[in-house]
Amino acid sequence: MVPLSGRRSDLRSGRYSASFASVGASLRSLTFDGRDLILPFGQKGIRPYFRGAVLAPWPNRVVDGRYGFAGTEQVLAITEPERNHALHGLVVWNDWQLVDSSAGTLQLRTEVVPQKGYPFRVALSVTYRLTDEGLSTRIRAENTGPSPAPFGVASHPYLLGDGGGRVDEWTLSLPANSYLEVTEERLIPTDLLPVPEAFDFRTPRRIGSTYLDHAFTSLDYDDGGSVTVSVVGPGGRGAGMTFDRTCPWVQVHTADQPDESISRRGMAIEAMTCPPDAFNSGTDLIIIEPGECFETGWTIHSV
């Protein structure tokens, strides 16, 4: 019997262990010396929210589920009815197929088929590799259809400081100089602005009661072209995500929920190839030509 979250796969390397669920090609758990680096979920139940899933062919929101491309208006299914948006793409509930699982590597694949609102065909593969450096994720998208396809991708892990607690107690390092302002109720993007003092974590500091659910950009990449966003708990341990210039955006969310028992229990850190509503703004939107591919990736590791 297949678990509700999909078929399970596990990887181990040195002090790291990782577990995956085939639905959404989701990262189910990641530990270092037994300490959780991400907010895990169980195998038997349906994956909570978008926890650990791959988000494609767009991350975040398409406002009102509508966009224009190549002179044609497209209308997507509304999957975030409380805000009337199309949320997090089309493959988060796909049961991805196993391609390879060996020697610290797991590869899964799925396909976005032409459909109402997204009349394009894109083959997707995700390759997870667990090494002594952490868990690397590599996403490959190939346009197998006859026309150019708009595309964006991200993942949705919730990183942990000291393996648990609440985000209020953690220190956030976020080397970003700009953020995308959004409306309060529907989170519709408005203006790209310099980070205000309340959202400035370029010098790592305690999160406290700060509420975040924003996309950040103008990132301070190092000389090697990488940037790391991380959370660290009071004990000085935590988790980080490192990524390169193929992801010029990162969504950071303090996971506030009405239910206090689950609210602010993890920090969503989502390296993204484009900002929210990129299908309308065109900002950093990737256009994959027929027969061409796009690749990106990131690494989650202990800090």
Side-chain angles (χ1 to χ4, degrees):
M1 183 179 295
V2 178
L4 294 179
S5 66
R7 294 169 180 82
R8 173 176 173 171
S9 300
D10 298 316
L11 295 177
R12 291 180 176 81
S13 179
R15 302 161 74 180
Y16 284 96
S17 295
S19 183
F20 307 86
S22 60
V23 173
S26 303
L27 175 59
R28 199 176 65 82
S29 69
L30 177 64
T31 65
F32 178 78
D33 284 343
R35 171 173 58 88
D36 284 320
L37 301 183
I38 67 163
L39 195 62
F41 64 89
Q43 179 183 4
K44 294 182 179 179
I46 296 173
R47 183 197 65 223
Y49 303 101
F50 299 94
R51 198 180 299 179
V54 173
L55 317 177
W58 70 87
N60 218 285
R61 295 165 176 86
V62 176
V63 171
D64 294 324
R66 294 176 177 268
Y67 69 99
F69 185 75
T72 302
E73 183 182 40
Q74 303 291 347
V75 182
L76 296 158
I78 298 300
T79 53
E80 189 184 28
E82 63 272 24
R83 295 191 177 105
N84 198 52
H85 303 317
L87 184 64
H88 288 331
L90 299 170
V91 298
V92 291
W93 298 110
N94 282 18
D95 196 357
W96 292 51
Q97 300 303 302
L98 178 66
V99 176
D100 178 53
S101 180
S102 60
T105 299
L106 172 68
Q107 186 175 30
L108 302 165
R109 73 172 303 278
T110 194
E111 189 168 34
V112 182
V113 298
Q115 58 197 274
K116 184 178 184 296
Y118 193 83
F120 314 102
R121 185 178 293 274
V122 179
L124 294 170
S125 68
V126 55
T127 302
Y128 292 109
R129 287 191 175 89
L130 194 62
T131 70
D132 292 343
E133 303 301 316
L135 178 69
S136 70
T137 302
R138 196 73 189 166
I139 305 286
R140 184 178 188 270
E142 180 182 2
N143 184 348
T144 56
S147 59
F151 184 79
V153 66
S155 70
H156 208 304
Y158 290 84
L159 273 57
L160 300 179
D162 282 346
R166 288 184 183 271
V167 300
D168 310 56
E169 307 163 358
W170 304 343
T171 294
L172 172 64
S173 175
L174 175 58
N177 297 289
S178 303
Y179 86 110
L180 191 61
E181 189 175 51
V182 294
T183 61
E184 184 175 355
E185 295 297 326
R186 298 186 61 209
L187 303 183
I188 297 173
T190 56
D191 299 305
L192 184 64
L193 300 171
V195 291
E197 183 178 352
F199 294 170
D200 190 352
F201 292 89
R202 287 173 290 186
T203 299
R205 62 181 177 86
R206 186 172 175 270
I207 296 164
S209 61
T210 303
Y211 166 79
L212 291 169
D213 194 2
H214 298 82
F216 292 81
T217 191
S218 303
L219 304 171
D220 290 331
Y221 297 93
D222 62 23
D223 291 342
S226 295
V227 65
T228 297
V229 180
S230 65
V231 288
V232 175
R237 300 178 302 177
M241 176 181 281
T242 298
F243 48 97
D244 63 21
R245 296 181 187 275
T246 59
C247 289
W249 294 83
V250 60
Q251 184 82 15
V252 180
H253 180 28
T254 43
D256 298 71
Q257 298 291 335
D259 183 349
E260 278 296 315
S261 67
I262 61 172
S263 184
R264 299 174 71 87
R265 293 290 184 177
M267 177 69 81
I269 295 177
E270 310 160 42
M272 304 188 298
T273 59
C274 61
D277 204 32
F279 275 25
N280 281 300
S281 70
T283 303
D284 292 322
L285 183 64
I286 296 156
I287 308 299
I288 310 178
E289 297 293 331
E292 293 188 350
C293 298
F294 170 79
E295 292 193 32
T296 187
W298 44 82
T299 298
I300 302 176
H301 50 87
S302 173
V303 295

